[in-house]
């Protein structure tokens, strides 16, 4: 086989692999309604944080974090400053930012470790601060190989339940990353940095199909309602 044939075969194989990957990661299209109605749960640590080492990084937990949200967008990173720790960012939405009828008014994208939303019309369907407080760009750190494989298979439109910790990180060469500790911030430094220990993809059930008292009882039973 000559060099030209080898190159053609390699390009064809790469093309097939990319096409298969795009097919596996194609978006899903859930029904209308609040498919991820609950706010994230952030819990202070009861004891002094214990530093975790992942490769060249030392991670310090800041809080336990539990979030169920719709995947609005996902972006993989391979060559930037923190890609050895954070290979993927997830733009996540909950509450009104999990509803098709709200999301249809926005164009959503990611890049440069940021999540961007752009209204399609001058008038927003919900207040700007509500958008900010119900969506976030999350730098996800897989705790192990199994978790990494699960994160790599997430698709836009799915409802995912992530459990783990918000963390700060320092690499042995001085590079660092800090997590946001609030959902009301925006801009540089507003991303959550999450060490993900468990990934569960949930069936997206529209809240509009569940009577309000039943929905509240279901969320309370699952431990995802916070007292006001």
């Amino acid at each position: 086989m000559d060099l030209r044939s080898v190159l053609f075969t390699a390009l064809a194989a790469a093309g097939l692999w990319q096409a298969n990957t795009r097919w596996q990661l194609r978006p899903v299209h859930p029904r209308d309604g609040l498919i991820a109605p609950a706010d994230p749960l952030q819990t202070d640590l009861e004891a002094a944080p214990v530093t975790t080492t992942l490769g060249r990084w030392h991670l310090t937990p800041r809080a336990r974090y539990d979030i169920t949200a719709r995947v609005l967008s996902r972006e993989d990173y391979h060559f930037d400053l923190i890609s050895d720790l954070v290979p993927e960012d997830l733009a996540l939405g909950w509450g009104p930012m999990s509803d098709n009828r709200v999301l249809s008014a926005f164009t959503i994208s990611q890049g440069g470790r940021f999540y961007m939303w752009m209204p399609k019309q001058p008038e927003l369907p919900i207040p700007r601060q509500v958008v900010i407080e119900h969506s976030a760009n999350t730098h996800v750190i897989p705790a192990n190989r199994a978790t990494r494989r699960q994160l790599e298979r997430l698709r836009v439109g799915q409802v995912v339940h992530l459990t783990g910790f918000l963390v700060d990180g320092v690499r042995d060469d001085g590079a660092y990353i800090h997590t946001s500790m609030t959902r009301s911030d925006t801009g540089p430094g507003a991303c959550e940095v999450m060490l993900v220990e468990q990934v569960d993809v949930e069936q997206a059930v529209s809240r509009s199909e569940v009577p309000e008292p039943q929905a509240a009882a279901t969320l309370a039973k699952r431990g995802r309602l916070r007292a006001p």
Side-chain angles (χ1 to χ4, degrees):
M1 183 179 292
D2 60 20
L3 180 59
R4 186 174 181 178
S5 298
V6 171
L7 290 175
F8 179 81
T9 302
L11 289 173
L16 288 172
W17 180 82
Q18 290 179 345
N20 183 62
T21 299
R22 286 195 296 268
W23 170 254
Q24 291 180 342
L25 297 180
R26 66 195 185 282
V28 300
H29 303 285
R31 59 180 67 88
D32 292 344
L34 277 67
I35 61 174
D39 288 341
L41 296 177
Q42 181 174 313
T43 308
D44 293 337
L45 301 177
E46 297 180 357
V50 177
T51 301
T52 299
T53 300
L54 282 180
R56 298 171 59 191
W57 290 85
H58 300 285
L59 306 179
T60 302
R62 299 286 307 282
R64 179 165 283 281
Y65 197 57
D66 184 313
I67 180 171
T68 300
R70 176 174 176 161
V71 180
L72 305 179
S73 179
R74 52 163 295 160
E75 186 75 15
D76 297 331
Y77 294 89
H78 303 284
F79 304 110
D80 71 357
L81 184 63
I82 61 171
S83 59
D84 59 327
L85 178 69
V86 187
E88 180 183 343
D89 284 1
L90 296 175
L92 300 175
W94 56 92
M97 288 297 287
S98 69
D99 190 337
N100 289 332
R101 295 167 294 187
V102 172
L103 295 174
S104 62
F106 296 102
T107 298
I108 291 173
S109 62
Q110 284 175 285
R113 294 291 180 178
F114 285 93
Y115 141 64
M116 289 77 70
W117 54 269
M118 182 71 65
K120 297 177 181 178
Q121 301 293 335
E123 186 174 346
L124 297 178
I126 55 177
R128 181 177 185 273
Q129 192 61 30
V130 174
V131 177
I132 293 170
E133 293 178 356
H134 292 84
S135 62
N137 190 55
T138 305
H139 303 318
V140 289
I141 303 170
N144 50 56
R145 290 182 180 178
T147 300
R148 180 166 185 162
R149 287 194 296 270
Q150 289 175 302
L151 291 170
E152 288 174 342
R153 291 196 294 264
L154 291 179
R155 298 161 60 185
V156 172
Q158 286 181 322
V159 173
V160 62
H161 179 207
L162 305 177
T163 56
F165 294 90
L166 296 179
V167 298
D168 293 335
V170 179
R171 196 165 57 190
D172 57 15
D173 62 357
Y176 63 88
I177 186 171
H178 294 302
T179 185
S180 169
M181 296 292 287
T182 176
R183 312 293 85 77
S184 60
D185 53 1
T186 187
C191 297
E192 281 66 40
V193 182
M194 184 179 184
L195 176 63
V196 179
E197 296 184 321
Q198 185 170 339
V199 181
D200 295 297
V201 176
E202 303 198 350
Q203 184 176 0
V205 178
S206 169
R207 194 176 185 181
S208 63
E209 296 184 358
V210 183
E212 190 69 23
Q214 182 180 345
T218 301
L219 290 171
K221 185 175 181 181
R222 294 170 63 188
R224 294 183 189 164
L225 273 184
R226 289 191 294 184

